[in-house]
Amino acid sequence: IDEKWFNITKKTLRYYTAPDEQQPIRTCKNKNYIPRIMFLTALARPRFDSSGNCTFDGRIGCFPYVTYVAAKRSSRNCLAGTIEMKPILSIDKSVMRDFMIGQVLPTIHAKWPREDIGKIIYIQQDNA
């Protein structure tokens, strides 16, 4: 399991569009204050059968640290009550524990290869 911060957009963007196509709209307040989002990624060792075919590729999931909240007020971008995705800026022990119990462990249980059921699964984290 590892975590990584990503910027949502770049400071300068270049779009190549068709003559009848509109350019995408940037939704951050200022290009100098681009919001960041953290992702938690879980991987495992891939499994192969005796003939070399991949039976389990090892990809478990990629989980963004976000919350879904309803907009408090109406604006020109959205109406009040619209569900918005907000990044969690402070990742502490309680947030990490909620993500592990609520998202990572059920996904591991669903995607883990059936021939390895009953064996001990060790979750290795870095010292973040």
Side-chain angles (χ1 to χ4, degrees), residues 98-112:
D98 291 341
F99 267 80
M100 289 293 289
I101 293 171
Q103 293 186 4
V104 176
L105 293 178
T107 307
I108 289 173
H109 186 267
K111 291 189 176 184
W112 201 253

Side-chain angles (χ1 to χ4, degrees), residues 17-65:
T17 58
D20 58 341
E21 191 176 12
Q22 293 183 354
Q23 290 204 2
I25 299 170
R26 183 188 296 222
T27 59
C28 63
K29 293 180 181 180
N30 188 338
K31 69 177 184 179
N32 292 325
Y33 300 99
I34 296 172
R36 299 187 316 161
I37 190 166
M38 182 184 270
F39 284 90
L40 175 76
T41 305
L43 297 172
R45 185 178 53 84
R47 309 290 196 277
F48 298 94
D49 60 4
S50 60
S51 61
N53 297 325
C54 183
T55 58
F56 175 63
D57 61 358
R59 290 183 269 183
I60 295 173
C62 187
F63 310 97
Y65 280 107

Side-chain angles (χ1 to χ4, degrees), residues 24 58 67:
T67 56

